[in-house]
């Protein structure tokens, strides 16, 4: 989950940089079938609508908190990884909807393309990592690691069975040689 936290952190940094750039340049969200709002409303509306270069600010805050917990907690909750996966999936859909994303790919720009393409690719990676936590190969590895513990439990059960056999033999007057060998080994 640490890798997911690091990917999310870099994606978040790109999102915050995109928010700053969009506020400075008044780049409002511009997606198909939705009338873009005037740039003057951007400072009030970025909380709900986001910008052309960032997700809505509350979404960035949630991403920041979940990322922080993933990076600093020894055993972070799986639901936070899944939450980052959901946020990554939403952003993966959102980036290509924005006109600025499509324009930055058609005509690459040194300042814009890293924000849009980098943000998109990291959001996609967040979605994949967030939804794969606890599934697939990692689950199989966890089960394989748990098996030796069960084998040790069975070994202890067999030791107890042998102790009971020795007790039973001693009660019948047989097995004194075994008892002496156990004392010598102890």
């Amino acid at each position: 989950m640490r890798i997911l936290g690091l990917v999310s952190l870099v994606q978040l940094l790109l999102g915050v940089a995109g928010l700053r750039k969009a506020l400075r340049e008044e780049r409002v969200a511009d997606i198909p079938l939705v009338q873009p709002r005037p740039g003057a409303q951007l400072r009030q509306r970025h909380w709900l609508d986001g910008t052309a270069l960032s997700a809505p600010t509350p979404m960035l805050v949630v991403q920041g908190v979940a990322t922080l917990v993933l990076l600093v907690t020894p055993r972070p909750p799986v639901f936070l990884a899944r939450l980052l996966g959901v946020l990554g999936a939403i952003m993966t859909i959102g980036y290509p909807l924005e006109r600025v994303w499509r324009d930055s790919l058609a005509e690459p720009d040194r300042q814009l393309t890293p924000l849009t393409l980098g943000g998109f690719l990291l959001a996609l990676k967040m979605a994949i990592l967030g939804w794969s936590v606890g599934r697939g190969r990692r689950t199989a590895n966890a089960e394989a690691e748990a098996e030796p513990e069960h084998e040790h439990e069975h070994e202890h059960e067999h030791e107890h069975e042998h102790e009971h056999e020795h007790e039973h033999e001693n009660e019948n007057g047989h097995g004194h040689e075994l008892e002496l060998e156990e004392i010598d080994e102890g």
Side-chain angles (χ1 to χ4, degrees), residues 143-159:
E143 289 173 3
E145 290 173 3
E147 283 183 23
E149 293 175 12
H150 294 297
E151 289 174 10
H152 293 298
E153 290 174 7
H154 293 299
E155 289 173 7
H156 292 300
E157 289 174 8
H158 291 299
E159 288 174 8

Side-chain angles (χ1 to χ4, degrees), residues 66-84:
T67 300
L68 182 66
V69 172
L70 244 63
L71 290 175
V72 300
T73 306
R75 289 186 171 261
V78 173
F79 84 90
L80 288 177
R82 299 272 163 74
L83 175 64
L84 287 175

